[in-house]
């Protein structure tokens, strides 16, 4: 196999059960990241496998540009009961990056068909991750992942992030008046409103920011600004969707229904690649006369749709969104223990999406030198101890280390406490190691 980082050991996983993964040597790992915020219903769910088997036996594939299929129709009806506002139209794809690409193209064609030929710019934020493909990467504010590909990417401007721990304006909430939200208005005026089609944001920033939760006014203000300029608001719920933050969709924490929502990961809990773009009546009906110029071979995949429906059945039966809220509260409270460690600068999050920022000097919030790769070191130390975490970097002017925890939503409180026990030991170990290098 070709690994993105061949120098790193990749333990060979043999099976999964609940919040645990086991490698071929029998070593057990707590899946503190549910893969990459994917396996919300946990590993080893036989009923999902059974639904996929039955679907594959009946019909595994039907071209999405010619046919509809029963599981995709069923999934759309099921999702329609869960989505906020009028987001009742679903276009199924096979992952998060694809969902984002499709949303960008939908926004473009929506305006193009109305004669607004210049409206193609998709605005996003300076700390964000929207995917690995060229369009999605272009609108991602994640220097570590974009740097080497810059000449190939779209040069769309970016808005300041909503990042209270390192406020880009040097202000403090609530005195700041949520200036970061108003920055969208500033950037729209700079770019020219006649050129902007959409603004995309993760309701809680995941990989790029380490669970950045906005204050309550932020998204209602964003909604208002988008309305003011007639710009589409896309909520990228690829990581936050399907119960992760304690509600089915994170935007439900605030009064701000988007025009489109992109989802993937938890939709099928990783039992099959699956994603979707969700949209409201205004957009869906605009494409009645001018079909969307787009096709993906694996769109609306019957087996993926069957898996997703089975996953949603489990989520509803086991009330996993509210579980994420309660166990997430316990996890966040337990994580406060880490603040005893001199390199743990901030603990934050919502539901079962927690972020921890690692700093060299807590009082000044000074980041570690980039070369020390502190979050990567911690990730390795955790893996050695049987825990996965999701490391990230670059939020402090290129430097800055953080990691997120986003375990399966079925996690028990005792398992969340085990996660923190391992983390306490690993962070102490890494702190001692990097202190000797400074
Ligand atoms: N959007 C967000 C918010 C994500 O977190 C990710 C992946 O982590 C993506 C998009 C891209 O999804 P995928 O890796 O399934 O293409």
């Amino acid at each position: 196999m070709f690994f993105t980082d061949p120098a790193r050991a990749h333990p060979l996983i043999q099976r999964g059960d609940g919040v645990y993964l086991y490698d071929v040597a029998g070593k057990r790992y707590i899946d503190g990241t549910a893969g990459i915020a994917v396996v919300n219903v946990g590993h080893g769910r036989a009923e999902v496998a059974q639904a996929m088997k039955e679907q594959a036996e009946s019909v595994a594939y039907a071209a999405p540009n010619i046919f509809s299929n029963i599981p995709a129709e069923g999934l759309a009806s099921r999702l329609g009961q869960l989505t906020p506002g009028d987001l009742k139209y679903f276009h199924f794809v096979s992952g998060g990056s694809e969902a984002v690409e499709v949303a960008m193209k939908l926004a473009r064609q929506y305006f193009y068909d109305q004669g607004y030929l210049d409206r193609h710019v998709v605005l996003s934020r300076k700390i964000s991750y929207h995917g690995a493909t060229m369009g999605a990467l272009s609108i991602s504010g994640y220097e570590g992942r974009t740097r080497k590909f810059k000449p190939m990417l779209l040069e769309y401007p970016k808005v300041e992030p909503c990042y209270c721990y390192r406020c880009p304006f040097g202000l403090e909430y609530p005195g700041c008046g949520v200036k970061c939200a108003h920055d969208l208005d500033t950037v729209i005026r700079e770019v020219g409103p006649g050129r902007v089609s959409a603004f995309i944001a993760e309701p809680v920033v995941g990989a790029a920011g380490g669970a950045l939760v906005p204050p309550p006014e932020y998204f209602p203000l964003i909604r208002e600004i988008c309305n003011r300029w007639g710009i589409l608001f896309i909520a990228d719920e690829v990581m936050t969707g399907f119960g992760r933050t304690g509600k089915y969709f994170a935007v439900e924490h605030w009064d701000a229904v988007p025009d489109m929502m992109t989802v993937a990961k938890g939709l099928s809990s990783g039992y099959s690649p699956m994603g979707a773009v969700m949209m409201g009546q205004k957009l869906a009906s605009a494409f009645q006369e001018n079909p969307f110029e787009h096709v993906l071979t694996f769109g609306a995949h019957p087996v993926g749709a069957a898996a997703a429906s089975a996953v949603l059945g489990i989520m509803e039966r086991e009330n996993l969104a509210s579980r994420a809220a309660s166990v997430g509260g316990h996890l966040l409270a337990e994580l406060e223990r880490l603040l005893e460690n001199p390199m743990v600068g901030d603990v934050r999050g919502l539901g079962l999406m927690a972020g921890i920022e690692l700093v060299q000097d807590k009082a000044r919030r000074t980041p570690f030198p980039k070369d020390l790769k502190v979050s990567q070191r911690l990730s390795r130390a955790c893996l050695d101890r049987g825990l996965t975490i999701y490391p990230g970097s670059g939020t402090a002017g290129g430097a800055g280390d953080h990691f997120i925890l986003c375990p399966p939503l079925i996690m028990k409180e005792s398992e969340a406490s085990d996660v923190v026990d391992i983390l306490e030991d690993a962070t102490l170990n890494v702190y001692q190691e990097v202190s000797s290098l400074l």
Side-chain angles (χ1 to χ4, degrees), residues 83-427:
T83 46
D86 73 337
L87 296 169
K88 307 296 175 199
Y89 296 84
F90 308 99
H91 182 78
F92 296 115
V93 295
S94 52
S97 303
E98 274 186 8
V100 169
E101 298 283 340
V102 169
M104 292 172 77
K105 287 176 73 180
L106 277 166
R108 161 63 174 168
Q109 192 182 322
Y110 172 74
F111 285 112
Y112 181 97
D113 289 341
Q114 294 174 58
Y116 298 107
L117 305 191
D118 283 341
R119 282 190 95 139
H120 60 85
V121 175
V122 177
L123 297 176
S124 57
R125 298 184 292 181
K126 286 182 184 169
I127 296 183
S128 60
Y129 182 63
H130 297 292
T133 48
M134 290 305 172
L137 194 62
S138 295
I139 56 168
S140 295
Y142 198 159
E143 188 65 15
R145 293 185 181 176
T146 56
R147 188 171 56 90
K148 295 184 180 170
F149 308 102
K150 283 268 161 72
M152 303 161 75
L153 302 178
L154 296 161
E155 286 179 15
Y156 286 166
K158 301 215 168 38
V159 175
E160 293 297 344
C162 182
Y163 184 14
C164 295
Y165 186 69
R166 296 186 190 282
C167 175
F169 303 101
L171 299 171
E172 243 178 73
Y173 178 80
C176 60
V178 200
K179 191 168 176 181
C180 50
H182 295 286
D183 194 51
L184 173 60
D185 187 76
T186 308
V187 175
I188 292 169
R189 287 171 196 270
E190 280 165 11
V191 175
R195 295 183 59 228
V196 182
S197 62
F199 171 67
I200 186 167
E202 302 159 77
V204 176
V205 181
L212 302 181
V213 185
E217 303 90 326
Y218 183 83
F219 277 109
L221 271 168
I222 291 291
R223 180 68 273 184
E224 209 178 296
I225 295 164
C226 288
N227 288 350
R228 188 182 308 155
W229 295 108
I231 284 163
L232 301 171
F233 167 36
I234 307 168
D236 184 352
E237 294 254 11
V238 167
M239 196 176 266
T240 50
F242 301 100
R244 171 65 45 207
T245 67
K247 293 194 185 280
Y248 261 93
F249 301 99
V251 284
E252 293 175 89
H253 287 282
W254 312 286
D255 183 18
V257 179
D259 298 292
M260 279 190 261
M261 221 151 67
T262 48
V263 296
K265 295 184 187 272
L267 168 59
S268 59
S269 248
Y271 284 80
S272 170
M274 197 68 191
V277 179
M278 304 172 160
M279 70 196 96
Q281 178 76 45
K282 177 176 80 175
L283 263 149
S285 47
F287 288 91
Q288 290 295 322
E289 284 178 18
N290 297 298
F292 183 36
E293 302 287 347
H294 176 88
V295 65
L296 284 166
T297 299
F298 291 132
H301 198 280
V303 179
S309 269
V311 161
L312 291 183
I314 294 173
M315 285 208 60
E316 283 168 45
R317 202 174 64 229
E318 299 183 6
N319 227 341
L320 291 185
S322 355
R323 236 195 109 75
S326 60
V327 182
H330 173 80
L331 176 66
L332 277 170
E334 282 280 84
L335 284 168
E336 298 274 318
R337 280 199 259 146
L338 295 183
L339 289 165
E340 301 275 311
N341 186 306
M343 76 170 189
V344 175
D346 195 27
V347 171
R348 56 199 178 222
L350 191 60
L352 271 173
M353 186 163 171
I356 289 94
E357 190 145 341
L358 306 168
V359 288
Q360 185 179 332
D361 179 332
K362 217 189 275 218
R364 294 191 179 80
R365 304 185 181 182
T366 320
F368 283 105
K370 203 172 153 182
D371 298 348
L372 286 182
K373 298 190 173 170
V374 173
S375 58
Q376 296 288 346
R377 280 173 196 265
L378 183 62
S379 174
R380 275 197 304 275
C382 287
L383 202 62
D384 288 346
R385 290 163 174 76
L387 169 70
T388 66
I389 63 167
Y390 189 3
S393 57
T395 62
D401 289 278
H402 61 263
F403 68 92
I404 58 175
L405 290 168
C406 42
L409 311 186
I410 54 157
M411 179 168 263
K412 299 187 185 92
E413 289 194 355
S414 60
E415 291 163 339
S417 301
D418 293 345
V419 166
V420 182
D421 288 345
I422 296 176
L423 269 170
E424 252 185 330
D425 181 47
T427 32

